[in-house]
Amino acid sequence: MKDAAANITYLKDYQKPNFLVESISLSFKLFEDGAEVTNLMHVVKDLDSESTELALDGEELELRSVSIDGALLNSDRYLVTESGLSISDMPADCQLEIVTWIKPQENKRLEGLYKSSTMFCTQCEAEGFRRITYYLDRPDVLTIFTTRIEADKSLYPNLLSNGNLIESGELDGGRHFAVWNDPFPKPCYLFALVAGNLHCQKDTFTTMSGREVRLEIFVEHKNSTKCDYALDALKRSMKWDEEVYGREYDLDIFMIVAVDDFNMGAMENKGLNIFNSSCVLAKPDTTTDASYQRIEAIVAHEYFHNWSGNRVTCRDWFQLSLKEGFTVFRDAEFSADMNSRVVKRVEDVALLRTAQFAEDAGPMSHPVRPASYMEISNFYTLTVYEKGAEVVRMLHTLLGAELFRKGSDLYFDRHDGQAATTDDFVAAMQEVSGKDLSQFKRWYTQSGTPRVNVSSEFDAQAQTYTLHFEQSCPPTPQQEVKEPFVIPIELALLNGDGGEQALSAFGGQKSAVFELTEKTQSIVLEGIPEEPIPSLLRGFSAPVKLNYNYTQHQLLFLMANDSDGFNRWDAAQSLALLELNAIVSTVKNGGNAQLSSAYVGAIRSIISNESLDKAMVSKLLQLPSAAYLIELAEEADVDAICTARNLARKQLAFDLQKELVACYQRNQGCEKGLSYAEMSVRGLRNTCLALLSANANDEFMSLCRKQFVNAQNMTDQVGALSAMIASGNKQDADDLLARFYDQWKEDAQVMELWFSVQSSASSYADLTHIQSLMEHPDFDFLNPNKLRSVVGVFANQNLENFHKLDGSAYAFLADQIIKLDDLNPQIASRLATPLTRWKKYNPARQALLRSQLTRIQGKSNLSKDLREVVDKSLVS
Ligand code: PHE
Ligand code: ZN
């Protein structure tokens, strides 16, 4: 047995590399049974370093030869292990050439060089490059890459890599080659190669300094009509980054390639982004509005990495949030500018509160900048991405837009071409603002979701209103005690007429940011004639759980009157939570419960209010998700929560039938356009239909069928399909599913939808149905999208069936994880997330979940990925 501690990498052990790579020349010869990789590096010893041993990373490589300055190395000069190649007595400056043979066709992990349908492609972040050749596979080794690719010309007419094409030509035997050079130094995780027979859609973008950049999207020929939207989103992203951050694109060409088999959403390789097909391909009859918005956000995200990630990269993987948190913040602001700022914020906060808060309360909880890891792939998390983005957003709030921009300019300037740390980022913000950010940095090092309790006191005589704040943070793995955070709380005080009080403690502003820095703190506001209603944490100004004891009346008031759109939604959520929690407790005691008439009335007036933003109305009509109710509960009773939610939906559908149908009818048309306004109309009619499905009477059935048949876009078609599935009318659902299948079976992206709409529906898909979907000819266990759309969706969204008390679904999930671990450990590990949340449930379910974790733990040859997750989950 290996010592467990030996498998852990610690931030505190960081040391700079003892060798530098001045340049690298890679040559790939691609064949149908494998690939030969020749790696010629100019290697130079670091002046400060004593050691002359060069330890290169490498996994599953077949070493063919090693030579230094042209002379073959004797095998006693180097040592090959499972994890690398080390060479002793290295000269201080030499040309090191390593030839390896790899087998992309057998690579099911989708890391390194692999085949996706007919094309060769790569994925190197975080540590995939070591599966291509021996190298210093760490982000702080930056160098200039030249890449030569050679392959059969008829099978692989397109040969792509990073940077600019500098040479290409024909070779004997029907083969050809291309040579690419990337003039910008980069770490190897940003390396990419693609060889395939692809359709290329071209466009151009003229940068702010007047340079023309060629834009090219490469897709399989069958997808040639699905490139327009991504190209358009790319151009908008390029323009936005110039306008908002002053960042211009730097190469003459920017390429995107769509691949079907991909572990994540997309990858920002320099000049050659590689995308999961589902995150880039789109056309109106096959793509839902939700997908359009996702594609826009991801295209932007990957493009923005060209500065936040590529020009300035990470020193080590503990700094991952330096690029990801910042880039998520950037893409969120972009989406807010392209669509609706409030709706975007609502969506992001909902994700944070359900999924990130759950992660932060579970066994894998870690700081935005983790201190250690066993497998870095496990740290591409909601905490690093979404909470990391919230931390950057707080800096933006604390500094203001202008100083924040000064800080980002300084950061990009100072660290251009370098590998930086989150400390460097904060230092730039501190320098431009003169604000001491040392306490603020606890957001990077302390895990867990802080709580803020707020109470108020009104003194009518003195006309003062006092707010008392108290912050705390629950213990998390390896962090028993937390120091106070800097928590920016934007607030306002609402009068009875909905107007806002001038805040004496904040220079008379009507909405101000209070910085909570102590464990407890109070503010006294003077000149307040009547007791106001506080609007707190406006815009969700910090990623915390804020608690103030609002009455139902106050929440109704805020929901109707708060000038902060986010807080109007949040008041509606709090209101719904009060209602749902009351129903949950009644259900637990076997009683019969109802929504209050005040609540139903408030929802009624929202549906009927035609002056509200339609996308916002959709958000206000949606009850908090079951996942959120589970996250909030101490010991979640899944059955009671789902029952209560279903009851509430049914009552809304019944009581508001007339208004919902009227709203549905008012919001027809807008069949094709992709503007925010048109999407909002489609969104609202489908929200109404979804709610009506909870009381599936004849009127619903006829509306739903009619919508399915007449749909002119995928949002309406799949909206009708999922409403029918949710309605519980199995025969009708089967019928629509079959028709949908016949219409779209050739389209992989639509088939993912077809799988997921049924897998998520608790009234339709039990475990047996899930198992039958896995036998379906269009299912593919090794394709991450298909696997997620059935198994992932089932375990994360179909809660009633996944949590069946016989434990059958838990065992099923463990079976899939065990089977997948030998093939694709990254995905296996991610699929295990629902099992790790065992502490949330009652003792019977806890035992069942734990026993499946124990089963997985006992598997032979368990991957590092899964080992880390199960070991951490079973502690305590
Ligand atoms: N860096 C990618 C992003 O933009 C995510 C990713 C990580 C993709 C690891 C593949 C592998 O967020
Ligand atoms: Zn990213």
Side-chain angles (χ1 to χ4, degrees):
M1 274 294 277
K2 254 204 206 150
D3 177 14
N7 280 324
I8 300 178
T9 307
Y10 293 92
L11 169 59
K12 63 174 167 46
D13 293 342
Y14 173 82
Q15 281 188 323
K16 62 178 186 160
N18 62 342
F19 281 88
L20 310 175
V21 182
E22 287 279 302
S23 63
I24 181 171
S25 203
L26 287 166
S27 170
F28 291 83
K29 291 185 176 149
L30 305 177
F31 302 99
E32 292 316 290
D33 61 341
E36 188 189 81
V37 183
T38 302
N39 165 5
L40 178 63
M41 292 173 273
H42 178 185
V43 181
V44 179
K45 196 169 79 68
D46 182 70
L47 288 174
D48 306 336
S49 145
E50 319 246 285
S51 164
T52 58
E53 182 179 316
L54 172 62
L56 300 172
D57 305 295
E59 282 172 26
E60 287 174 43
L61 304 170
E62 206 180 295
L63 183 61
R64 293 267 159 104
S65 69
V66 185
S67 47
I68 288 180
D69 294 328
L72 270 179
L73 227 57
N74 234 323
S75 60
D76 61 357
R77 278 283 302 284
Y78 59 84
L79 179 70
V80 180
T81 68
E82 272 197 356
S83 62
L85 163 70
S86 57
I87 305 171
S88 53
D89 303 325
M90 280 287 292
D93 185 327
C94 72
Q95 298 285 335
L96 172 62
E97 188 187 78
I98 301 170
V99 182
T100 48
W101 177 258
I102 52 178
K103 293 179 179 155
Q105 290 83 354
E106 289 171 24
N107 179 351
K108 302 294 171 230
R109 306 170 61 103
L110 315 183
E111 283 178 273
L113 179 65
Y114 64 95
K115 281 201 95 172
S116 175
S117 64
T118 58
M119 67 180 114
F120 285 94
C121 61
T122 54
Q123 173 51 46
C124 295
E125 188 180 4
E127 298 181 335
F129 193 73
R130 63 186 63 186
R131 298 179 167 272
I132 294 175
T133 183
Y134 289 104
Y135 195 69
L136 288 162
D137 188 359
R138 42 187 291 167
D140 58 350
V141 173
L142 282 73
T143 195
I144 309 278
F145 280 69
T146 304
T147 306
R148 184 180 188 281
I149 313 164
E150 181 189 312
D152 182 276
K153 187 171 181 180
S154 60
L155 292 174
Y156 310 102
N158 310 98
L159 304 176
L160 313 174
S161 190
N162 318 83
N164 302 310
L165 180 67
I166 53 172
E167 203 190 333
S168 63
E170 311 283 314
L171 296 165
D172 289 345
R175 293 174 69 79
H176 70 149
F177 75 96
V179 183
W180 293 80
N181 172 262
D182 179 0
F184 294 95
K186 66 167 177 288
C188 63
Y189 82 86
L190 291 171
F191 168 79
L193 172 161
V194 170
N197 182 351
L198 302 168
H199 163 83
C200 172
Q201 184 144 332
K202 294 186 162 73
D203 205 334
T204 60
F205 177 82
T206 305
T207 68
M208 58 187 183
S209 71
R211 268 187 321 106
E212 189 173 282
V213 178
R214 282 179 290 136
L215 310 177
E216 300 186 349
I217 299 200
F218 293 86
V219 300
E220 287 182 53
H221 291 284
K222 61 174 190 226
N223 294 321
S224 61
T225 57
K226 290 188 169 189
C227 302
D228 296 348
Y229 187 74
L231 258 180
D232 189 57
L234 174 61
K235 287 185 283 182
R236 282 184 276 122
S237 311
M238 295 177 88
K239 186 151 181 288
W240 187 91
D241 213 16
E242 292 183 347
E243 287 171 0
V244 180
Y245 281 85
R247 299 291 123 197
E248 188 175 354
Y249 187 63
D250 46 13
L251 287 163
D252 299 332
I253 181 166
F254 185 84
M255 297 174 281
I256 288 179
V257 181
V259 303
D260 283 342
D261 302 285
F262 201 74
N263 283 346
M264 308 279 274
M267 179 63 211
E268 70 264 23
N269 316 300
K270 182 80 186 189
L272 179 56
N273 288 0
I274 296 182
F275 274 62
N276 186 323
S277 310
S278 72
C279 299
V280 57
L281 301 177
K283 67 172 179 197
D285 52 340
T286 64
T287 306
T288 62
D289 294 339
S291 281
Y292 273 116
Q293 304 217 326
R294 202 169 122 78
I295 289 168
E296 177 181 64
I298 298 179
V299 166
H301 178 98
E302 305 311 332
Y303 173 72
F304 295 156
H305 270 315
N306 190 56
W307 275 95
S308 49
N310 301 1
R311 286 289 285 263
V312 181
T313 193
C314 302
R315 187 192 72 173
D316 53 71
W317 291 120
F318 298 103
Q319 319 297 328
L320 183 57
S321 196
L322 175 70
K323 73 178 178 82
E324 296 303 348
F326 187 22
T327 305
V328 170
F329 172 69
R330 278 149 57 68
D331 83 58
E333 286 294 294
F334 167 76
S335 292
D337 284 346
M338 296 298 122
N339 304 288
S340 150
R341 181 158 287 274
V342 175
V343 171
K344 174 65 179 160
R345 192 70 190 131
V346 163
E347 284 167 353
D348 288 350
V349 172
L351 173 68
L352 195 82
R353 278 179 173 164
T354 47
Q356 196 280 324
F357 283 10
E359 179 172 279
D360 232 349
M364 284 294 288
S365 175
H366 55 276
V368 169
R369 189 191 70 192
S372 68
Y373 58 76
M374 212 182 277
E375 170 53 61
I376 186 57
S377 298
N378 285 329
F379 287 79
Y380 286 77
T381 58
L382 290 150
T383 300
V384 166
Y385 276 67
E386 320 304 322
K387 186 178 181 180
E390 293 299 323
V391 172
V392 176
R393 180 178 297 280
M394 287 189 285
L395 285 171
H396 188 273
T397 302
L398 291 168
L399 267 63
E402 212 170 298
L403 284 175
F404 182 87
R405 167 66 195 272
K406 275 202 179 132
S408 78
D409 283 352
L410 176 62
Y411 165 74
F412 286 130
D413 244 35
R414 178 180 284 168
H415 300 289
D416 191 6
Q418 294 178 0
T421 62
T422 55
D423 283 342
D424 292 329
F425 184 78
V426 177
M429 294 295 165
Q430 170 155 321
E431 216 167 295
V432 296
S433 64
K435 204 172 165 71
D436 180 359
L437 294 171
S438 40
Q439 186 187 347
F440 181 85
K441 288 208 281 192
R442 287 177 187 154
W443 282 108
Y444 286 97
T445 55
Q446 297 190 137
S447 54
T449 307
R451 321 215 152 165
V452 179
N453 286 323
V454 187
S455 59
S456 59
E457 267 173 276
F458 178 61
D459 184 333
Q461 202 132 55
Q463 302 208 333
T464 58
Y465 186 73
T466 308
L467 285 166
H468 302 290
F469 297 85
E470 181 186 8
Q471 63 162 304
S472 62
C473 184
T476 44
Q478 282 155 44
Q479 290 193 349
E480 274 305 310
V481 185
K482 315 291 166 87
E483 300 298 326
F485 291 85
V486 176
I487 304 180
I489 299 176
E490 185 174 345
L491 51 85
L493 301 181
L494 270 64
N495 299 326
D497 61 3
E500 287 159 7
Q501 286 284 345
L503 304 173
S504 61
F506 300 93
Q509 294 175 72
K510 295 204 162 166
S511 191
V513 177
F514 166 62
E515 291 178 31
L516 175 62
T517 57
E518 312 284 322
K519 199 170 162 357
T520 60
Q521 239 168 302
S522 300
I523 39 177
V524 181
L525 299 148
E526 286 162 1
I528 311 287
E530 54 170 315
E531 177 154 14
I533 299 176
S535 168
L536 300 165
L537 204 69
R538 300 184 119 192
F540 201 67
S541 57
V544 302
K545 291 186 174 182
L546 184 136
N547 175 47
Y548 177 86
N549 242 335
Y550 285 112
T551 62
Q552 189 195 46
H553 171 79
Q554 289 175 316
L555 289 171
L556 285 165
F557 185 86
L558 287 171
M559 179 175 159
N561 298 297
D562 199 326
S563 67
D564 185 80
F566 175 84
N567 270 15
R568 278 203 305 279
W569 171 80
D570 203 29
Q573 286 278 295
S574 304
L575 209 50
L577 286 173
L578 288 179
E579 301 275 327
L580 285 169
N581 284 327
I583 303 181
V584 169
S585 13
T586 328
V587 165
K588 275 195 203 165
N589 302 322
N592 219 326
Q594 286 244 308
L595 295 168
S596 71
S597 56
Y599 179 75
V600 176
I603 298 296
R604 175 177 286 119
S605 63
I606 285 166
I607 306 175
S608 310
N609 185 341
E610 292 181 50
S611 68
L612 293 173
D613 177 294
K614 291 177 192 296
M616 206 53 215
V617 174
S618 294
K619 294 289 168 207
L620 291 167
L621 290 185
Q622 284 155 19
L623 290 170
S625 67
Y628 187 39
L629 290 161
I630 290 171
E631 202 290 311
L632 289 174
E634 276 297 326
E635 184 188 298
D637 183 334
V638 189
D639 306 302
I641 285 173
C642 292
T643 305
R645 216 175 157 272
N646 292 339
L647 281 173
R649 280 170 44 84
K650 203 175 175 121
Q651 188 189 342
L652 288 175
F654 188 84
D655 291 356
L656 302 175
Q657 154 103 15
K658 195 169 70 97
E659 290 82 358
L660 285 166
V661 171
C663 182
Y664 179 85
Q665 304 290 19
R666 274 202 308 277
N667 288 283
Q668 292 301 309
C670 298
E671 309 289 352
K672 296 274 181 210
L674 294 181
S675 70
Y676 173 73
E678 289 160 297
M679 289 195 190
S680 303
V681 170
R682 295 193 287 267
L684 183 50
R685 67 171 168 261
N686 280 292
T687 301
C688 292
L689 192 68
L691 201 45
L692 286 165
S693 77
N695 176 34
N697 56 16
D698 291 348
E699 184 164 29
F700 164 79
M701 293 300 280
S702 106
L703 290 178
C704 189
R705 279 198 158 270
K706 209 168 96 200
Q707 177 171 321
F708 184 87
V709 173
N710 297 334
Q712 293 180 51
N713 58 69
M714 189 45 73
T715 302
D716 285 332
Q717 197 177 4
V718 91
L721 177 63
S722 59
M724 189 60 85
I725 293 171
S727 75
N729 289 296
K730 181 158 167 26
Q731 247 181 356
D732 292 86
D734 283 339
D735 175 42
L736 297 195
L737 276 165
R739 290 210 240 164
F740 190 91
Y741 177 78
D742 279 339
Q743 190 179 351
W744 299 115
K745 54 181 180 297
E746 306 300 336
D747 188 301
Q749 283 76 51
V750 185
M751 287 320 294
E752 283 164 29
L753 263 180
W754 183 79
F755 278 117
S756 61
V757 284
Q758 36 187 322
S759 302
S760 64
S762 53
S763 58
Y764 183 82
D766 59 7
L767 177 58
T768 314
H769 187 76
I770 298 299
Q771 284 163 327
S772 73
L773 285 178
M774 292 181 72
E775 299 296 316
H776 195 281
D778 291 300
F779 183 78
D780 177 359
F781 188 72
L782 289 178
N783 177 268
N785 292 5
K786 293 277 165 62
L787 195 64
R788 272 189 287 255
S789 65
V790 177
V791 181
V793 165
F794 173 66
N796 288 292
Q797 295 174 38
N798 188 335
L799 301 178
E800 280 151 275
N801 290 299
F802 178 65
H803 290 287
K804 276 270 152 63
L805 260 175
D806 62 3
S808 54
Y810 299 161
F812 160 80
L813 181 62
D815 290 344
Q816 308 315 313
I817 292 167
I818 289 169
K819 182 170 151 205
L820 190 61
D821 191 46
D822 293 325
L823 303 161
N824 188 333
Q826 277 187 23
I827 302 290
S829 164
R830 221 163 301 142
L831 269 187
T833 304
L835 301 174
T836 68
R837 302 285 154 80
W838 57 269
K839 267 196 190 141
K840 268 288 166 198
Y841 305 101
N842 63 19
R845 288 198 170 96
Q846 291 198 3
L848 290 166
L849 287 161
R850 284 184 62 106
S851 76
Q852 295 308 327
L853 286 165
T854 309
R855 238 184 92 212
I856 297 172
Q857 199 176 38
K859 170 188 176 275
S860 58
N861 291 320
L862 194 64
S863 68
K864 258 210 286 179
D865 309 57
L866 208 43
R867 155 92 39 223
E868 177 167 42
V869 171
V870 286
D871 283 2
K872 287 184 176 173
S873 299
L874 285 169
V875 170
S876 81

